[in-house]
Amino acid sequence: MANEHMNFNERLILAKIETTAGSDASPTPADNTAEYTEFAWQLAPTLRERNVITPYGPGARHQIGLTTATFSAQQDLLAGAITAADGSDDPNFVTMARYNGWSVQRNATDKTVTLFCEPRLGETASIYERMSNSAGTDYNQAKLLGAIGNWSLELTAGNELLLNSEGQAVADTSYYTSVSSALSGGSLSDDGILRAEDATFRLYNPTGTVMFGGGSLASPGENLDLISLTLDGNRDIAPMPGVTGSFGVKQYRVNQTGRITGTMRIWAGNLDEWNMYTYLLDANALYFGLDLTPPGAATTTVRLAFWLQPTGAVKTELDGFAVYDVPFAVLFPADGDGDPAAGVNPEQAWNDDTANIGLIDDTNITPPAGAPIFIQVHTA
């Protein structure tokens, strides 16, 4: 066969935040640091059938109607040392987080990058998928514009912290092209992969005096061990069709959003030491904090933190031992000070009461109104 075939295993995924939604941001390897572990896309055209009446019976004709593009993506989160204010050393997941509803604040003085989840945030990205031919001389390029998605996070003991995205994008008339050039660019790094190893996990009721699991606020008891965590942004992305243009939907917006929800699995300890049902029945607002140190970056700490309220507590079995599956809803701050409930001190979550829960020193961050969750990367 004379034709070259495309090599699915030799691909390059590029993404860049757009200044104007749906306008090509032209991402290049030079300004793209994302490393995707999974990426897939497809076009979904609507065929309009025209059954024309003719003397010879129905004459079927088809036209392409409204066309959408859908994609799914996954990254394992990497984080290295933070030193620059211009974002040149942003963690690899910042771009993907932004087109899934997260905003970013940087502080070079305190060496932090902080991401806040803003469920209605409508930033979009241009995403390119480049795929090399079998000879390595040319590549095909898929161009998805105005990409916007719903995110989820997942972490399981021993595995990487994963950021997932399910989204929609604009495919214009030049969405798929062939380029007469060898595929180049991209990177592969094992430094700073966030794994559930040597992590510090905190779950406590700030209004109470006893920490779940016993011990001080800075040192959870051994009977409170996190096995896994999932979070879902619950963003509903809606197409905004119009009669102008020549190739389907031109823009997508965040239509509506529910509460961010999640589930954590925890080994069950003695009820006298930690009783999940008590806090469920009392409808307590709880603080969740998980600190990870990336391998090879001993001075860098990554914190995942938010307020939550349990919505259930199911005791089940894992390898012969009892575990709690705890579904929960993430609390949205009720007002400008970030306080999700009466009596809960927001300063502990946002600005770090270092005497109690803090490994991170940064106090120069301003949570956006209605931002209930953050990831912060801090270099000492």
Side-chain angles (χ1 to χ4, degrees):
M1 297 178 65
N3 294 331
E4 289 291 344
H5 295 81
M6 308 314 296
N7 191 335
F8 187 81
N9 294 321
E10 294 182 7
R11 294 187 295 164
L12 177 64
I13 310 299
L14 304 174
K16 187 177 182 180
I17 297 300
E18 297 169 342
T19 302
T20 303
S23 295
D24 194 349
S26 302
T28 67
D31 58 24
N32 186 82
T33 59
E35 294 183 24
Y36 289 81
T37 52
E38 294 181 11
F39 186 83
W41 66 274
Q42 64 178 1
L43 288 182
T46 301
L47 295 180
R48 306 288 297 179
E49 185 174 286
R50 299 173 61 240
N51 289 317
V52 180
I53 299 174
T54 73
Y56 314 102
R61 299 291 187 271
H62 294 87
Q63 288 182 330
I64 294 179
L66 204 62
T67 300
T68 60
T70 61
F71 69 92
S72 61
Q74 183 183 83
Q75 289 185 6
D76 52 359
L77 275 61
L78 280 71
I82 302 299
T83 59
D86 61 359
S88 58
D89 54 5
D90 268 352
N92 79 313
F93 53 88
V94 166
T95 297
M96 183 169 163
R98 286 178 63 182
Y99 65 77
N100 283 275
W102 295 68
S103 62
V104 59
Q105 294 182 24
R106 304 180 183 91
N107 189 316
T109 301
D110 287 342
K111 299 180 181 178
T112 61
V113 173
T114 306
L115 289 91
F116 294 95
C117 180
E118 298 188 66
R120 297 196 65 84
L121 190 67
E123 283 194 300
T124 60
S126 297
I127 304 177
Y128 291 3
E129 180 198 53
R130 295 175 176 175
M131 186 182 301
S132 178
N133 68 1
S134 54
T137 56
D138 306 289
Y139 64 84
N140 286 348
Q141 175 171 281
K143 182 187 295 187
L144 305 178
L145 308 181
I148 187 170
N150 175 51
W151 62 271
S152 65
L153 278 171
E154 58 179 289
L155 179 68
T156 304
N159 292 329
E160 291 82 8
L161 179 58
L162 299 174
L163 175 62
N164 302 300
S165 175
E166 298 282 344
Q168 295 177 297
V170 176
D172 61 19
T173 53
S174 61
Y175 74 95
Y176 207 55
T177 57
S178 180
V179 180
S180 297
S181 177
L183 186 61
S184 63
S187 61
L188 178 62
S189 173
D190 292 325
D191 293 335
I193 297 177
L194 300 180
R195 299 187 63 186
E197 295 178 346
D198 298 324
T200 301
F201 169 51
R202 301 175 177 86
L203 180 67
Y204 68 90
N205 175 6
T207 64
T209 58
V210 179
M211 177 162 181
F212 293 177
S216 68
L217 292 181
S219 179
E222 292 181 358
N223 60 311
L224 184 61
D225 289 332
L226 180 68
I227 303 170
S228 63
L229 171 74
T230 61
L231 285 166
D232 191 333
N234 290 320
R235 282 170 31 111
D236 183 14
I237 309 302
M240 305 292 289
V243 296
T244 58
S246 59
F247 201 73
V249 177
K250 291 299 179 183
Q251 194 174 59
Y252 295 88
R253 293 292 190 191
V254 181
N255 178 27
Q256 62 183 13
T257 182
R259 300 175 73 177
I260 298 171
T261 57
T263 300
M264 56 185 168
R265 171 167 281 191
I266 301 174
W267 293 108
N270 190 315
L271 289 182
D272 292 336
E273 298 168 335
W274 186 69
N275 188 344
M276 187 66 245
Y277 300 104
T278 298
Y279 296 97
L280 173 63
L281 295 174
D282 290 345
N284 286 84
L286 309 178
Y287 172 81
F288 179 101
L290 183 66
D291 294 329
L292 305 117
T293 300
T299 61
T300 298
T301 301
V302 180
R303 167 167 294 179
L304 172 64
F306 51 89
W307 300 102
L308 65 88
Q309 194 167 40
T311 57
V314 179
K315 183 176 285 187
T316 185
E317 179 267 344
L318 177 65
D319 295 330
F321 291 91
V323 297
Y324 284 115
D325 283 333
V326 185
F328 59 84
V330 174
L331 296 177
F332 286 71
D335 49 43
D337 69 358
D339 190 345
V344 177
N345 180 7
E347 297 303 313
Q348 289 182 337
W350 301 129
N351 294 338
D352 290 311
D353 179 353
T354 56
N356 292 323
I357 66 170
L359 292 178
I360 303 174
D361 299 329
D362 182 29
T363 58
N364 297 311
I365 56 177
T366 305
I373 186 173
F374 76 76
I375 297 175
Q376 185 177 74
V377 182
H378 168 73
T379 300

